[in-house]
Amino acid sequence: MDALIISNFLLWGVVLCLVLVILALSRQIGVLYERVAPMGALTMDKGPAVGEAAPRFEIADLLGRRIAVGERGQHSQLLFFLSPTCPVCKKLLPILKSVAATESAWLRIVLASDGEMPEHLAFYKQAGLERFPYLLSAELGMKFQISKLPYAVLIDETGTLRAKGLINSREQLESLFTAKELGVASVQEFLAAGTLEETRISRKESGNALAG
């Protein structure tokens, strides 16, 4: 009989140890998730805010075509601000071409910059960007208060600014699309809100356990 009681105590001890190990692993998984969570585009608190109507423009591109910016239409519009002298911008050009093809059902990409026409026209042709409208407009950049490159602004079909931020990778570019789908200003905001909600629930559960 004594042996049975001792074995039961040992068994419960093993179960308790396993529970503690699982809790520790869960905590580590949570920490790891926070570390590897997708890094969205860095949003800067300048220019029109997400959720506001985007500024409207009609500008001739490098080929003389009239391009409407911020107007209602059948497709969302991604304004991608770049420069011929920006190395990161050049690195992202193949990604832009790929995204333009894969997201063509709902998205149109418009390139934007400012400066002298000859330099940009040479860059436009050399980089094979003829499929994209390319706008030269200092006013456009000033209206969106673009201070660093490359920078992207996503405008939806209703002319509403849905997401924006500095772009250094495909992941950051696609984070703008994710933000639009989730209805948040940025992926970081969504993740932060989720973390706060988890903390609130955890505290509530802890309080209920103590009360019980």
Side-chain angles (χ1 to χ4, degrees):
M1 186 69 177
D2 290 341
L4 181 60
I5 293 174
I6 293 173
S7 63
N8 281 335
F9 273 113
L10 290 174
L11 180 60
W12 279 109
V14 171
V15 171
L16 181 60
C17 289
L18 289 174
V19 170
L20 292 175
V21 169
I22 291 172
L23 290 174
L25 287 174
S26 298
R27 178 179 174 81
Q28 289 302 314
I29 290 173
V31 171
L32 180 61
Y33 170 76
E34 290 181 0
R35 290 178 178 175
V36 302
M39 178 60 70
L42 177 61
T43 302
M44 304 173 71
D45 292 330
K46 295 181 178 180
V50 172
E52 293 182 353
R56 295 183 178 182
F57 290 87
E58 187 174 332
I59 307 169
D61 72 354
L62 292 182
L63 302 182
R65 298 169 295 190
R66 303 298 297 180
I67 305 299
V69 174
E71 297 286 348
R72 289 177 175 268
Q74 295 182 342
H75 302 88
S76 290
Q77 190 176 61
L78 181 75
L79 288 179
F80 191 84
F81 292 86
L82 75 171
S83 167
T85 59
C86 168
V88 179
C89 300
K90 294 178 180 179
K91 181 192 75 172
L92 293 174
L93 292 181
I95 295 174
L96 285 178
K97 294 176 181 179
S98 174
V99 169
T102 58
E103 309 296 335
S104 61
W106 68 277
L107 183 70
R108 294 292 182 267
I109 296 176
V110 177
L111 306 180
S113 191
D114 64 358
E116 300 298 325
M117 171 73 78
E119 178 187 15
H120 288 274
L121 189 56
F123 169 64
Y124 184 66
K125 293 180 178 179
Q126 182 179 6
L129 301 175
E130 289 85 356
R131 68 184 301 176
F132 302 111
Y134 193 121
L135 309 180
L136 279 185
S137 171
E139 184 183 3
L140 185 63
M142 291 174 62
K143 197 67 176 180
F144 285 99
Q145 295 191 31
I146 307 301
S147 59
K148 295 183 179 180
L149 298 174
Y151 200 90
V153 175
L154 182 62
I155 303 169
D156 71 10
E157 297 86 348
T158 68
T160 302
L161 200 158
R162 285 302 174 195
K164 61 179 181 177
L166 284 169
I167 304 296
N168 291 308
S169 65
R170 185 184 191 114
E171 181 184 52
Q172 290 182 331
L173 179 62
E174 292 183 343
S175 75
L176 301 184
F177 309 153
T178 302
K180 176 180 180 292
E181 292 172 359
L182 296 174
V184 296
S186 67
V187 171
Q188 290 96 325
E189 177 187 285
F190 176 76
L191 293 174
T195 301
L196 290 173
E197 181 64 16
E198 289 175 4
T199 302
R200 185 189 67 79
I201 293 173
S202 177
R203 287 177 177 172
K204 183 177 180 180
E205 291 176 347
S206 297
N208 291 339
L210 290 173

